[in-house]
Amino acid sequence: MKKIATVLGARPQFIKAAVLSRIIAEREEFQEVIIHTGQHFDDNMSEIFFRELGIPPAAYNLDVNRVGHGAMTGKMMECLEPVLESEKPDLVLVYGDTNSTLAGALVARKMGIPVAHVEAGLRSGNMKMPEEINRIVTDRISNILFCPTEQAVKNLEEEGFGAFDIRMVQSGDIMKDSVAFFKDRMGSRRDLNEKYGLEGEKFVLATIHRQENVNDPSQLAAIFRGLDEISRKTGVVMPLHPRTKAAMKEFGIKTGVLLIDPVGYGAMQQLLHFCEMVVTDSGGLQKEAYFHKKPCLVVRPQTEWVELIEHGLAVLTTANKGQLLGAFQEMRNRRLDFNQNLYGRQIGKTIYDEICLFLELNSI
Ligand code: UDP
C-alpha cells in the first residue's frame, strides 16, 4: 500500500487536513502517517481538533514550539528528516503557510520525496508577513500545487510557474468542505448564549492573532479601542489566541470585549452561524464568514482572499478606531449577495483524485 505523510502543526492545518484524512481513510488506497510538528500544542489549539474532526492520531509529535521562526523551522527540519527516512512515504502533503508547511516541504523535497501543497498560490504581496515567505518558498519547491482560487493560479503564472515542472490545479478551497461537514450541527441560539454568557440579539465574532497586529503594542491597543467602540453598539465575542493573550498581558491592554478561550471547530461554526458580522485578521475566518453568509472586516492592509473584497463581502480596515467603527456601520448597511460560488465544489475529492493521478503518471 502506498503511503502519504501529512506534515502539520497549526490549528488551521488540522481543520484542512481532516477533510483529506477522511477521504484517505474511506478509500483505503493509501496509508496516511500524520506527523505533528508540535507548533500548536495547547489542548484547545491542537488535540481538540483531532478528537472533534476524527483525525487519526499523529504517529509522531516533534514537539517543536516556543522558539523563534528560524529555530522553529530548523528544529522541525532536523526532527523531520529521520522520520521521513524511516517512514519512506511516497508523497508528503503540506497545508497552508506556517513554519510546519515550509519545514515539511523543504525536508521532503531534498530527500527526493514529492510534495503536494494544499492552499498554494496565495499572495498578500506583503513580505513582512512570515506566512508570505513560507508560501512563496513552499510553492516553488512543491511538485503539485492545489490552488484554492483563480487568483491563486494567476499569481503563480505571474511568477513564472508556467515554466517550471510543477503541476498546478485549481482545486477550490478545502475549508469549504470542512464547513459543509459541520453544517447540520449548529445547535440553538439559546445554548450558545448560555455557554458564553452572550446577551442581546446580535453579536460580532472577532479574532486577532497575526504577528503584525499582535507584536506592536500601539497597533494592538488601537484594535481593541476600535472593538470597544463596536461593543458599545453590539456584543463582541473573541476566542483569544494564546499569542494575543500573552501580548495583552505584556502590554497591559484591557478591553470590554467578551474574551473567551479558543474554542473547538464545532463551537466556532456555531458562533459563525449566529453572529452578525466577523472582525478578523485570520485567513481562514474570512472565508468561513463568507460560507456562513456573514460580512467581514479584515483588520489588515491586504488579504490573499481578494475575491471577497472584489465582491464587496469583506472590507479591509486599519486598526484606527474611527475606521473600524466606520467599516462596521458601512457593512451593516450594505446589501450583500453571497450566492456566487467563489471557492469551488467537491474540493477534497478533486485533490485526492489529482494526487492519485500524479502518482500514477510518475510511476510512483
Ligand atoms: N478557529 C477555531 N477556534 C478558535 C478560533 C479559530 O476553531 O477559537 C478556527 C477557525 O474557524 C478557522 C481556523 O481556526 O477554521 C482559522 O485558524 P487561524 O485563524 O488560527 O489561522 P489562519 O486561518 O489565519 O491561518
Side-chain angles (χ1 to χ4, degrees):
M1 195 186 246
K2 286 186 193 138
K3 195 187 275 183
I4 292 180
T6 298
V7 178
L8 38 62
R11 176 170 65 189
Q13 291 164 341
F14 310 137
I15 295 164
K16 290 164 200 163
V19 174
L20 273 182
S21 282
R22 269 194 295 274
I23 302 177
I24 294 171
E26 267 162 35
R27 305 275 183 98
E28 298 182 339
E29 288 166 312
F30 297 107
Q31 180 195 351
E32 184 183 28
V33 177
I34 296 186
I35 307 169
H36 191 324
T37 62
Q39 187 172 345
H40 283 172
F41 50 88
D42 290 336
D43 182 79
N44 59 13
M45 293 292 289
S46 173
E47 222 19 68
I48 191 173
F49 296 97
F50 281 76
R51 289 196 298 273
E52 209 182 2
L53 303 176
I55 307 169
Y60 300 86
N61 191 322
L62 310 181
D63 197 20
V64 182
N65 46 58
R66 298 180 202 260
V67 285
H69 282 278
M72 189 184 285
T73 314
K75 278 189 179 178
M76 284 175 183
M77 290 174 66
E78 200 180 324
C79 298
L80 270 169
E81 195 163 44
V83 171
L84 294 182
E85 245 158 29
S86 83
E87 287 292 341
K88 299 189 179 18
D90 297 286
L91 181 114
V92 165
L93 196 49
V94 294
Y95 294 84
D97 54 21
T98 71
N99 292 337
S100 306
T101 318
L102 177 62
L106 272 169
V107 174
R109 196 61 213 258
K110 288 198 178 185
M111 291 174 73
I113 305 166
V115 176
H117 181 207
V118 177
E119 210 178 64
L122 293 178
R123 298 289 184 267
S124 66
N126 180 355
M127 288 297 280
K128 287 191 185 143
M129 288 178 78
E131 294 90 344
E132 184 78 350
I133 297 162
N134 293 342
R135 289 176 192 131
I136 293 172
V137 181
T138 304
D139 283 345
R140 183 62 188 87
I141 62 176
S142 294
N143 301 75
I144 330 172
L145 298 177
F146 292 109
C147 302
T149 59
E150 202 181 318
Q151 182 63 46
V153 176
K154 273 195 203 146
N155 293 341
L156 294 174
E157 281 168 354
E158 275 167 21
E159 289 176 22
F161 273 67
F164 306 147
D165 183 20
I166 298 179
R167 175 141 176 75
M168 290 184 272
V169 180
Q170 189 182 329
S171 57
D173 177 30
I174 197 158
M175 286 193 93
K176 186 174 174 189
D177 285 2
S178 45
V179 171
F181 190 70
F182 269 78
K183 73 178 186 320
D184 300 324
R185 309 185 211 176
M186 290 308 152
S188 79
R189 175 66 202 259
R190 188 195 286 178
D191 288 350
L192 195 78
N193 280 10
E194 274 173 17
K195 198 159 157 196
Y196 300 115
L198 288 168
E199 285 166 10
E201 280 283 291
K202 294 184 171 175
F203 70 94
V204 164
L205 174 62
T207 74
I208 295 292
H209 77 286
R210 290 253 95 76
Q211 193 173 290
E212 312 79 81
N213 281 333
V214 169
N215 290 2
D216 175 348
S218 60
Q219 174 83 359
L220 190 60
I223 292 173
F224 276 101
R225 276 198 299 276
L227 290 172
D228 282 342
E229 277 307 304
I230 295 175
S231 76
R232 280 186 241 286
K233 304 199 174 297
T234 183
V236 179
V237 55
M238 176 183 284
L240 196 58
H241 192 284
R243 180 194 287 154
T244 317
K245 185 176 183 178
M248 288 177 78
K249 192 169 168 211
E250 188 187 339
F251 308 146
I253 294 174
K254 301 268 179 290
T255 177
V257 164
L258 174 60
L259 300 175
I260 59 176
D261 284 334
V263 297
Y265 192 68
M268 198 64 181
Q269 298 310 300
Q270 289 172 342
L271 287 163
L272 279 156
H273 179 71
F274 287 110
C275 75
E276 177 191 2
M277 199 182 294
V278 174
V279 180
T280 192
D281 61 2
S282 156
L285 213 63
Q286 293 171 46
K287 285 162 300 141
E288 286 178 334
Y290 167 75
F291 297 137
H292 284 270
K293 301 186 193 296
K294 301 298 159 82
C296 183
L297 308 187
V298 181
V299 192
R300 284 178 44 191
Q302 64 286 110
T303 176
E304 307 74 64
W305 305 100
V306 289
E307 48 292 316
L308 294 173
I309 310 294
E310 283 160 13
H311 284 81
L313 306 170
V315 282
L316 298 175
T317 169
T318 63
N320 175 294
K321 162 171 113 177
Q323 279 216 18
L324 206 53
L325 189 65
F328 171 71
Q329 303 280 30
E330 188 200 324
M331 287 308 258
R332 243 186 176 178
N333 298 328
R334 206 183 263 186
R335 285 174 68 86
L336 302 175
D337 174 10
F338 288 93
N339 290 320
Q340 335 70 2
N341 175 25
L342 298 180
Y343 295 109
R345 288 195 175 85
Q346 303 235 315
I347 299 102
K349 186 178 172 302
T350 306
I351 293 174
Y352 182 90
D353 290 345
E354 283 288 340
I355 288 175
C356 294
L357 187 66
F358 173 87
L359 293 175
E360 198 183 312
L361 291 176
N362 289 281
S363 310
I364 295 169

